[in-house]
Amino acid sequence: MTGSTLYRGQARTGRMALLMGGAAAISLMSAGAASAQTAAAPQEEAATLDEVIVTGGSYQRSLEQAIDIKRDNVGFSDAIVATDVANFPEQNLAEALQRIPGVTIERNRGLGSRVSVRGLPADFTFVSINNLATASGSGGREVELNIFASEIIQQVVVQKSPRASDEEGGIAGTVDISTARPFDYRDRQLVASVEGSHNSISDEIDPKVSFLASDTWGNFGALVSFSTAQRSNRTDSNSGINFRPMSRFLATSTGARGTQALAVLERDAGIIIPVADRNNTAITNRIIFQDKVGDRMYMTEQDQWGGTLSLQYRPSSNLSLTFDAMVGGYETTEDEYDAAAYSASSRSTLETIHEYDDTTLADYGIVVLRDVSYTATQHEMLSKERINETDYSQFAGTLDWSGDSWELSAMIGYSGAEKTLDSSNLKHVAYAPSRTRWTANGGETIPSATSGGFDMYSSFDSYLFEAYETSLEHITDDKYAGQLDFTQHFALEAFPALTSVQMGLRYTDRSTERQYGTLNIQGPTAGSTAWLNTRRLSDSVLTPSSELAPGGGYTIRDLNWSQVSNDYARRTFRYAGFSTPFNPGEYYEVSEEVLAGYAMANLDFDIGSVPVSVNTGVRYVDTSVTSSGYHQIQTPTGGTTFTPEPVSSDGGYDKFLPSLNFTAELTDSIVFRGAASETLIRPSLTNLAYKRTASWSSFRFTDGNPNLKPTYAKQWELGLEKYLPEGGLLAVSYFSKTIEGVVRQALTGTVEDVTVYNANGTVNGVYDFDVYSPINEPGSYDVSGVELVAVVPFGMFWEPLEGFGINANYTMLDSSLTGSSTIGVPTPPIGLADNTYNVTLFYENDRFQARASYNYKDAYVEGIGYEMYPITRDAYGQTDVSVSYNLTDNIQLNLEAINLTDERTSGYTMDPSFPVMDEMSGRRVSFGMRMDF
């Protein structure tokens, strides 16, 4: 929920109109720049507003408008507007947002996908479009922003310090996205753009087309926009390399394999482990070997489309009725081809240790086996296909009215997403002695000197069919919302500082349903196992890896192997009548109702000669949750079934969330800013899902927890901003967050007297089962940081540099949460990068524009392998450039490049000398033309 009042000074800026491709004239209407949801100013104020026309898609002008939004907001925020979104080399909305201070993105196969603010996890960020919380097909709270094309977006504001009027849900920040409306333009607009884009690895050229049409007729206006694009991204990767603990081989359950491993450790590495300690994981988990090594090729084909419709009725300057619609679709087919080796197979053990390292991780008592021959490595040829179809729709009606001293704003809307993920994996397996070792950038598996070793990349007759594995996931996510805001303006002699009071209510109803199932095909008909361990890889039509994906040979290493194409696999192994059934144990439905109300006061007063603006208030949130899922039960014959109907459970919570924001204009150009608030992020839907799985051998149930409480943050921030001529800015801020109630799995109870059956129907025994559920962890941790921003047009220093400038920002983070893994290795917070920065150099004149941007994110921990070994993603920096030329007043030519220097993605486990990833996604070069009429 956002407020409907324009704070003092907000009339200085306008609401940027959407520019499809950035070529059209941009009309800036002063009433409403503070946010996409700001209501019209009072009639007498609106009468004084002017329009500003910007031609040629001026990047510097868009920066000026974003800085105006930042200055006029009472609180901490940053923005990108119109040309900065639509006229920058971005493949989707997620990548456009990385230019905002403190904002970084997660990349998947070279494409931006999710957004994190100030280094916190992506699900700590709240996303709304036109004041509606955005539905997500991910099944979680986070939003996959790669489903949205940047062209259909008008303006994005990242609100980093919440106000009482803001809808709750973002500890890290709130991303407010707005699309265009017809009265944002002074004249009729018709804009179109076309583009061709080339990926350096796939060598494919992909089209992109977009247009916008807008006009007004007296009191009525209509706008429609549309964008469609195809993307062909290829990624080559030597990845998936991981550690395994020696407990895999040494446990007494491994029998002779464990005995041989003990002997080899003593013979080749001088490591003596008493037989009595074979099950002592405190010892065996500190001897580590390289397990999975694979060479992979990914080919991602994306079809993306999105459109907006806006209808407005504005009979007077103080009344506006608007209907906004946004629809889109996103279809991705990803083909993955793996040649992989698993040293820790169920048949393997150590044969020879050629090299070991007992010094790099000696502080933790860890020995790493760097180069080892194994007796029976599991070699796999995997052909994987993932088809993701996501449809998105959003509809909203809004009313904005202002009188002499009252304002009313009302909204009712719907946001929904539906996602289907159809996946398959054709697996052929061969067991043979092999030698696996680290290379400079990853790992490799070569034939063992032992008899029976083979070249894993060319021995097609040795691979036997194991399964054609399929899975199917379907998620529906529906959100309904209604909001009502009132604002009363005051001119009180007794209390002149009080300029207005805002009050409002919001109701939100969300329902998410998830179904999932798997099926393993092992023969030509349903239930048949005729192909299992009989059909060979060579019995299928094989395609060289250089022809499996466009672009030719594997780029990471000098390799060429052959595999079954996914197209052939789909035609051959999916028999007539095939379908993947849904598994009741994976089903859940979560319903969430939220009623929120707020009251907020806006004050303007002077302290001496210093004007001060304040908003302060409190938000009350009452949330109820109902979740249902099937519970796993055992049959009298030792099998597994489920409850005949879903089992439901309720939960809920309520909370008061206070907030305070203020600005003090120390001089005409220096602003001191501060904020303090309490906010929350709700639990993920998967943790709320009330479904039960059972481990009959471990005597353990795992449940969801609909009664989880949110994760809360108490936060404050102080900042100083210097505003320069020609839209320049120098700013520094310090922020601190104390986060409590982080969700983790824990033992939450016991179910007594559970009967466990054997397969023959006899009773195994009656046991007490432990119940593990997600809980809110007691205690808290602190995250603090510093943000620096510099937007400097060089023309202010020396006239010959007119048109040149720099837009840079830097964020440094620190956290008190430094835990340790189960073997005592330090584990910083997952996803937290200590340093991030963006630097953009630009030049423009009436005809020509050029920009080069470098985006950097420091190394960060992305996961903990086996809860023991931190896996780190290396620091990554990428350079993107854009050049455009106005051929005529109506035609602009563009040349853009993403990842110009062809950077690689890499990572390691615990130390850089143990790399786990070496990945290349190539550079993308686009050429396009934009036309406005």
Side-chain angles (χ1 to χ4, degrees):
M1 187 185 303
T2 57
S4 60
T5 298
L6 284 172
Y7 299 114
R8 183 174 62 183
Q10 287 181 341
R12 289 197 299 264
T13 60
R15 187 169 187 233
M16 289 293 293
L18 174 65
L19 178 61
M20 299 300 295
I26 303 171
S27 174
L28 305 172
M29 300 186 63
S30 297
S35 82
Q37 293 81 38
T38 303
Q43 183 174 356
E44 61 269 26
E45 184 180 356
T48 67
L49 306 180
D50 353 300
E51 292 177 330
V52 180
I53 302 301
V54 181
T55 59
S58 168
Y59 173 70
Q60 184 171 343
R61 182 57 181 163
S62 74
L63 290 179
E64 293 176 14
Q65 297 302 316
I67 290 170
D68 283 343
I69 293 172
K70 180 182 181 71
R71 180 169 187 170
D72 296 332
N73 188 12
V74 181
F76 288 87
S77 68
D78 289 283
I80 50 177
V81 294
T83 56
D84 197 17
V85 176
N87 194 27
F88 211 87
E90 314 294 0
Q91 300 176 91
N92 56 50
L93 178 59
E95 298 198 354
L97 296 183
Q98 69 180 317
R99 312 299 171 191
I100 296 178
V103 175
T104 55
I105 64 173
E106 298 177 8
R107 295 181 184 275
N108 181 29
R109 314 286 181 252
L111 292 171
S113 57
R114 300 191 298 172
V115 169
S116 63
V117 176
R118 290 178 165 172
L120 294 169
D123 55 0
F124 279 30
T125 300
F126 182 75
V127 179
S128 68
I129 298 179
N130 293 336
N131 199 24
L132 276 173
T134 307
S136 172
S138 66
R141 301 284 182 182
E142 72 281 359
V143 176
E144 302 283 352
L145 289 173
N146 53 2
I147 70 175
F148 303 116
S150 60
E151 284 83 357
I152 65 173
I153 304 303
Q154 170 230 15
Q155 173 182 286
V156 181
V157 177
V158 178
Q159 186 73 30
K160 299 175 182 177
S161 62
R163 300 162 296 194
S165 56
D166 294 329
E167 185 175 1
E168 73 288 343
I171 284 178
T174 298
V175 177
D176 293 323
I177 302 168
S178 58
T179 57
R181 290 172 173 173
F183 281 102
D184 292 340
Y185 296 90
R186 186 184 64 181
D187 301 313
R188 176 185 301 166
Q189 298 292 323
L190 180 59
V191 186
S193 69
V194 294
E195 178 187 289
S197 183
H198 176 266
N199 177 261
S200 62
I201 299 182
S202 69
D203 205 29
E204 295 275 285
I205 296 178
D206 303 311
K208 184 177 182 179
V209 178
S210 60
F211 77 87
L212 176 146
S214 177
D215 204 355
T216 58
W217 305 269
N219 298 329
F220 294 92
L223 179 148
V224 61
S225 71
F226 182 80
S227 177
T228 181
Q230 294 179 357
R231 284 289 181 264
S232 302
N233 270 45
R234 176 173 152 186
T235 298
D236 291 355
S237 177
N238 177 227
S239 65
I241 303 149
N242 59 23
F243 283 179
R244 285 294 292 266
M246 193 51 63
S247 55
R248 170 66 173 159
F249 291 148
L250 295 185
T252 53
S253 60
T254 62
R257 295 167 53 225
T259 302
Q260 179 173 333
L262 284 174
V264 173
L265 284 168
E266 181 176 358
R267 182 194 70 199
D268 294 342
I271 299 173
I272 301 175
I273 299 176
V275 173
D277 287 331
R278 282 179 58 172
N279 286 329
N280 186 348
T281 56
I283 297 174
T284 59
N285 283 351
R286 296 179 188 277
I287 305 170
I288 301 168
F289 64 97
Q290 192 178 26
D291 175 23
K292 181 180 178 182
V293 175
D295 291 288
R296 294 171 171 79
M297 296 174 59
Y298 302 89
M299 186 63 200
T300 305
E301 301 279 355
Q302 297 182 339
D303 287 304
Q304 177 190 73
W305 69 273
T308 65
L309 170 67
S310 182
L311 304 175
Q312 274 187 294
Y313 173 62
R314 197 170 71 173
S316 65
S317 59
N318 65 347
L319 177 62
S320 176
L321 295 172
T322 306
F323 171 77
D324 291 306
M326 181 176 176
V327 294
Y330 177 84
E331 181 175 339
T332 299
T333 299
E334 182 178 79
D335 294 302
E336 177 184 346
Y337 298 102
D338 293 5
Y342 298 82
S343 305
S345 78
S346 58
R347 305 181 187 180
S348 183
T349 192
L350 303 182
E351 183 183 73
T352 303
I353 300 172
H354 303 282
E355 182 183 353
Y356 65 93
D357 182 338
D358 58 1
T359 58
T360 301
L361 300 175
D363 290 346
Y364 313 115
I366 294 176
V367 178
V368 180
L369 309 184
R370 284 189 173 272
D371 184 351
V372 182
S373 290
Y374 302 89
T375 58
T377 295
Q378 179 176 323
H379 301 84
E380 295 182 350
M381 288 290 178
L382 307 174
S383 300
K384 301 180 180 181
E385 181 183 48
R386 288 175 284 270
I387 302 175
N388 177 357
E389 296 182 8
T390 300
D391 293 314
Y392 174 85
S393 60
Q394 177 171 307
F395 309 97
T398 59
L399 178 151
D400 295 301
W401 172 85
S402 60
D404 292 338
S405 62
W406 279 93
E407 293 182 39
L408 168 66
S409 179
M411 182 276 296
I412 185 167
Y414 163 81
S415 175
E418 186 170 354
K419 172 182 174 180
T420 300
L421 181 60
D422 182 358
S423 302
S424 63
N425 177 23
L426 175 62
K427 182 187 293 187
H428 287 81
V429 177
Y431 292 91
S434 69
R435 180 176 177 180
T436 295
R437 60 192 179 190
W438 264 280
T439 63
N441 299 314
E444 66 175 356
T445 298
I446 60 176
S448 169
T450 301
S451 174
F454 75 116
D455 183 352
M456 62 178 284
Y457 297 96
S458 60
S459 304
F460 307 122
D461 285 339
S462 300
Y463 287 89
L464 295 176
F465 176 92
E466 183 171 288
Y468 181 70
E469 303 168 342
T470 69
S471 66
L472 185 65
E473 181 178 32
H474 185 75
I475 296 173
T476 57
D477 188 4
D478 297 301
K479 297 181 182 180
Y480 298 88
Q483 177 177 315
L484 188 63
D485 294 284
F486 298 93
T487 300
Q488 169 72 71
H489 295 271
F490 297 102
L492 303 175
E493 292 184 7
F495 192 9
L498 181 63
T499 59
S500 65
V501 171
Q502 295 174 240
M503 296 174 290
L505 292 171
R506 184 182 185 100
Y507 173 77
T508 303
D509 185 355
R510 177 179 185 175
S511 176
T512 300
E513 183 182 47
R514 186 244 195 184
Q515 299 183 82
Y516 180 84
T518 61
L519 180 68
N520 287 351
I521 297 173
Q522 295 183 318
T525 58
S528 170
T529 59
W531 291 335
L532 179 62
N533 293 326
T534 60
R535 183 184 176 105
R536 298 182 182 274
L537 180 62
S538 55
D539 292 332
S540 295
V541 174
L542 302 181
T543 302
S545 58
S546 59
E547 299 176 15
L548 282 171
Y554 186 56
T555 58
I556 297 294
R557 299 199 291 155
D558 185 18
L559 290 173
N560 189 20
W561 68 95
S562 295
Q563 286 189 233
V564 179
S565 72
N566 283 318
D567 178 66
Y568 177 88
R570 178 174 281 269
R571 289 185 285 107
T572 303
F573 298 102
R574 296 198 176 199
Y575 48 78
F578 157 84
S579 65
T580 301
F582 287 125
N583 179 1
E586 298 293 340
Y587 170 88
Y588 67 76
E589 182 177 15
V590 178
S591 298
E592 182 180 76
E593 293 185 64
V594 179
L595 180 63
Y598 76 93
M600 185 174 76
N602 302 301
L603 301 97
D604 288 320
F605 53 90
D606 294 337
I607 300 178
S609 60
V610 176
V612 177
S613 295
V614 176
N615 69 58
T616 182
V618 64
R619 186 177 188 85
Y620 174 74
V621 180
D622 187 1
T623 303
S624 61
V625 176
T626 299
S627 178
S628 61
Y630 292 92
H631 281 209
Q632 195 172 7
I633 55 178
Q634 195 176 38
T635 66
T637 57
T640 295
T641 185
F642 298 92
T643 54
E645 298 294 335
V647 180
S648 297
S649 181
D650 297 329
Y653 49 87
D654 61 345
K655 184 72 172 178
F656 286 97
L657 303 172
S659 64
L660 169 70
N661 295 274
F662 72 86
T663 60
E665 296 187 15
L666 303 182
T667 71
D668 289 342
S669 62
I670 298 178
V671 174
F672 178 63
R673 196 181 299 272
S677 63
E678 187 170 354
T679 187
L680 61 83
I681 179 70
R682 291 187 168 86
S684 71
L685 300 178
T686 52
N687 286 327
L688 292 173
Y690 192 60
K691 59 188 182 70
R692 167 171 288 180
T693 57
S695 175
W696 307 112
S697 59
S698 300
F699 315 122
R700 173 173 174 168
F701 291 132
T702 301
D703 289 356
N705 185 2
N707 206 35
L708 273 176
K709 302 301 185 285
T711 298
Y712 295 103
K714 296 177 180 178
Q715 54 193 33
W716 60 270
E717 184 167 359
L718 294 173
L720 193 64
E721 300 160 2
K722 169 67 173 178
Y723 291 87
L724 306 174
E726 302 181 27
L729 170 68
L730 299 175
V732 58
S733 65
Y734 176 84
F735 61 88
S736 176
K737 300 174 184 285
T738 299
I739 300 173
E740 60 185 23
V742 175
V743 176
R744 68 173 178 86
Q745 289 287 121
L747 176 65
T748 56
T750 301
V751 178
E752 298 179 349
D753 300 333
V754 177
T755 302
V756 178
Y757 296 93
N758 296 314
N760 61 6
T762 60
V763 174
N764 177 281
V766 179
Y767 303 93
D768 293 342
F769 271 52
D770 291 332
V771 180
Y772 284 81
S773 304
I775 65 166
N776 296 106
E777 186 172 17
S780 62
Y781 71 96
D782 296 325
V783 174
S784 60
V786 175
E787 282 187 353
L788 303 174
V789 178
V791 180
V792 181
F794 296 154
M796 62 179 290
F797 301 113
W798 190 33
E799 187 174 351
L801 293 179
E802 188 70 35
F804 287 95
I806 186 171
N807 175 17
N809 60 78
Y810 167 73
T811 303
M812 177 179 65
L813 296 173
D814 187 27
S815 171
S816 67
L817 181 65
T818 303
S820 61
S821 70
T822 57
I823 58 172
V825 179
T827 56
I830 292 175
L832 181 67
D834 291 341
N835 299 279
T836 58
Y837 62 85
N838 300 285
V839 179
T840 298
L841 297 172
F842 63 88
Y843 170 75
E844 62 184 17
N845 58 33
D846 291 342
R847 288 284 184 183
F848 178 77
Q849 298 182 60
R851 278 168 279 159
S853 180
Y854 183 76
N855 176 255
Y856 173 87
K857 183 176 183 178
D858 222 343
Y860 62 95
V861 173
E862 64 176 355
I864 312 294
Y866 302 102
E867 299 183 356
M868 291 186 278
Y869 316 123
I871 302 168
T872 298
R873 179 71 64 94
D874 276 321
Y876 181 83
Q878 180 172 303
T879 300
D880 305 328
V881 299
S882 173
V883 177
S884 62
Y885 180 74
N886 296 333
L887 194 63
T888 70
D889 290 342
N890 304 103
I891 299 177
Q892 185 184 70
L893 302 179
N894 285 288
L895 181 65
E896 301 173 344
I898 295 175
N899 192 20
L900 179 66
T901 55
D902 200 10
E903 299 297 325
R904 304 162 83 112
T905 301
S906 59
Y908 60 87
T909 301
M910 292 193 284
D911 187 85
S913 63
F914 307 119
V916 298
M917 176 189 295
D918 183 23
E919 190 169 281
M920 295 183 66
S921 295
R923 72 175 59 86
R924 179 170 291 277
V925 177
S926 304
F927 180 76
M929 178 173 63
R930 291 190 289 269
M931 300 154 284
D932 67 278
F933 307 96

